[in-house]
Amino acid sequence: MSEHIEQPEERQRRLARLQQLQSEGRDPFAIERYERTHLAQEVVDASADHWTLPEEEAKALSFRLAGRVTSQRSKGKTAFYDIRDGSGRIQLYIRKDDLGEQAFEDCLALDLGDIIGVEGFAFKTRTGEPSIHVREIALLSKPLRAVPFGKIDAEGKVHSGLSNVEDRYRYRYLDLLVNPEAKAVLTKRCQIVSAMRRFLDGEGFLEVETPTLQEVAGGAAARPFMTHHNALKHDFKLRISLELPLKRLIVGGYDKVYEIGRVYRNEGIDTQHNPEFTLMELYQAYANLEDVMELVESMYASIAQTVLGTTVLEIQGETVDFAQRPWKRLPMLEGIHQNAGIAPEEMTNLETAKAACERIGVPFALEKENTLGGLIEKLHEVYTQPKLIQPTFITDFPIETSPLAKKRPDNPALTRRFEVYIGGAELGNAFSEINDPIDQRERFEGQLAQRAAGDDEAHPMDEDFIRALEYGMPPTGGLGIGIDRMVMVLTGAESIRDVILFPLLRPGH
RNA sequence: GAGAGUAUAGCUCAGUCGGUAGAGCACCGCCCUUUUAAGGCGGGUGUCCUGGGUUCGAGUCCCAGUGCUCUCACCA
């Protein structure tokens, strides 16, 4: 196992250098601030004014920058260093006859990762590289561990450095420091969340916060985490969705609310799942499923335009344009008919549906399927979902798997629900919400029966929620979007861990 | 939860038939006043994941364990 923790000799060397500086009264950790006049990118920028000045005037200018040493190339009585700050990289040019013996020796004693401040003037080398000709240099922080900056070749490809997958997640600060692509993706995530907030605020939604510690963890099919409150001597569950508190707020008279928050599901970990992930849910009174579809379409287009600068993306070899509306709508049973060759008439009861599955030779075990709705969703996932590269709303989910969505008036086996798919991934889930307390109670009771039959992810009864509905909730459209998945699609990330700053890892290091 | 792969220097990795540890980068020393994956000369810094076993001898073979990666199951 690779470890940046144990590097005794490296550490000893750096510690000795630090102690030497401290004994000379030059403790870098005693420094509190460094006045900067420029960021690296501002100096490098080809259109910057300082590049047009005559040489003498250019030399008279003063630039003060600070950053990490990422590369050093010493050549006897001169040396080139690269430093990087939040804006980018710039080269430093250092001459012994400018700095004097002591300062030049100090420079040669620098390590990759040292944080320095420099003062000098801007010029371009013979090869045309924008650089700072350094007149003063100050060590601002001395790392005691080797910072694994790799080498960057002519194509900009990073060599060595930090590539071990586990280390990248475990020591994310190093990943951010030495792998620019990793930082770019994670920064985009933050910008996507910010753009989503601005979009929803602009649509008149109010951002609210609801409890993460709950007596009944509902709103989704998942096993919760448990925790304990000492003073109340009571076990609470961590929320698995945002749904039920938000709908209580609709009952309370808020017409448009949303929450962006962390939820926790006690499930396995893989490239698509992290036990804690971020969900955005919104509820809009007096709106139905079709209203929510339009909201999803314009929200995606808005966020993509804001963060990526375009609504057109290449996803799995296909060109996808979020701005091309309306997105496709496809009833689930129709999708299964097209992609699996099982007609809707065959899926009116579990026996005929299973027979049809045997006819086409499904690649999963039929014994485990004990509800018609569950089997239909399974067929959808296996046969239809991988083909949904272009943005598509799958509608008319079976009632057994949709305990919070209104029934279709013309077919009570199906619900007023959609999931939105892009690039074969499920990116949103929406209902015309049940506001009939009698219907809601029956649905929960149906879930309790499934739970009794061994499904420990079936929805629990929530008496207080039904009580809220009994005081009256307007017709309401609701939407849930998994932020992490959405970021994966928008950034092309292959693992959910690449879009979470600190993904959950097994403890023990 | 199941299966497969993998674990050697700070990092990335090689290590043949079982014979006592190797490369590049990083690091240390010397040289070099516009280099850029700078270059030249010299230096190996190691609990070969852990614990057993086979053997005269194990990085290598066997057993068990652990971490990680991938696939599957569950899920968004």
Side-chain angles (χ1 to χ4, degrees), chain A residues 212-217 224-227 235-239:
Chain A
T212 55
L213 297 178
Q214 299 181 337
E215 177 63 22
V216 180
F225 283 92
M226 303 295 290
T227 189
D235 286 337
F236 285 92
K237 300 173 183 74
L238 269 58
R239 68 181 174 188

Side-chain angles (χ1 to χ4, degrees), chain A residues 74-284:
Chain A
S74 77
K75 293 172 45 68
K77 297 188 178 62
T78 69
F80 291 90
Y81 288 82
D82 291 347
I83 60 167
R84 206 166 68 201
D85 62 21
S87 73
R89 183 198 72 93
I90 188 165
Q91 174 169 272
L92 307 178
Y93 177 52
I94 290 163
R95 296 171 62 100
K96 188 173 185 177
D97 51 14
D98 289 336
L99 288 186
E101 187 85 30
Q102 165 83 68
F104 192 73
E105 286 303 310
D106 286 348
C107 283
L108 295 184
L110 290 171
D111 290 302
L112 293 189
D114 284 6
I115 298 171
I116 61 172
V118 296
E119 191 280 334
F121 62 88
F123 79 110
K124 286 186 180 170
T125 63
R126 275 177 203 157
T127 55
E129 168 128 8
S131 309
I132 294 288
H133 190 128
V134 174
R135 286 183 289 235
E136 275 178 35
I137 188 159
L139 179 63
L140 305 177
S141 180
K142 182 70 186 174
L144 296 181
R145 300 173 188 275
V147 181
F149 285 112
K151 295 224 165 185
I152 301 170
D153 67 18
E155 287 93 55
K157 194 179 166 208
V158 177
H159 294 260
S160 76
L162 181 76
S163 61
N164 178 284
V165 176
E166 195 208 346
D167 285 352
R168 286 190 42 220
Y169 300 136
R170 196 172 292 282
Y171 310 114
R172 179 67 97 184
Y173 40 88
L174 288 180
D175 189 33
L176 293 167
L177 207 48
V178 307
N179 293 320
E181 342 74 65
K183 188 177 183 184
V185 168
L186 289 161
T187 303
K188 277 206 181 92
R189 181 213 173 94
C190 302
Q191 293 168 335
I192 286 167
V193 172
S194 170
M196 179 178 278
R197 281 206 166 87
R198 272 175 284 156
F199 174 84
L200 292 171
D201 292 346
E203 293 289 318
F205 284 86
L206 181 70
E207 182 171 9
V208 299
E209 296 174 274
T210 65
T212 55
L213 297 178
Q214 299 181 337
E215 177 63 22
V216 180
R223 280 173 295 180
F225 283 92
M226 303 295 290
T227 189
H228 183 75
H229 187 278
N230 290 339
L232 294 179
K233 293 189 176 63
H234 188 78
D235 286 337
F236 285 92
K237 300 173 183 74
L238 269 58
R239 68 181 174 188
I240 59 173
S241 86
L242 314 176
E243 176 133 359
L244 302 181
L246 291 178
K247 284 199 278 202
R248 286 175 170 91
L249 295 179
I250 297 290
V251 170
Y254 287 108
D255 285 348
K256 290 173 115 180
V257 294
Y258 75 98
E259 178 168 10
I260 295 175
R262 202 71 57 84
V263 299
Y264 307 85
R265 299 189 183 174
N266 213 332
E267 303 288 351
I269 300 172
D270 59 37
T271 56
Q272 305 291 312
H273 299 86
N274 195 60
E276 54 177 313
F277 64 101
T278 305
L279 209 51
M280 187 287 289
E281 289 194 28
L282 65 82
Y283 293 85
Q284 179 174 357

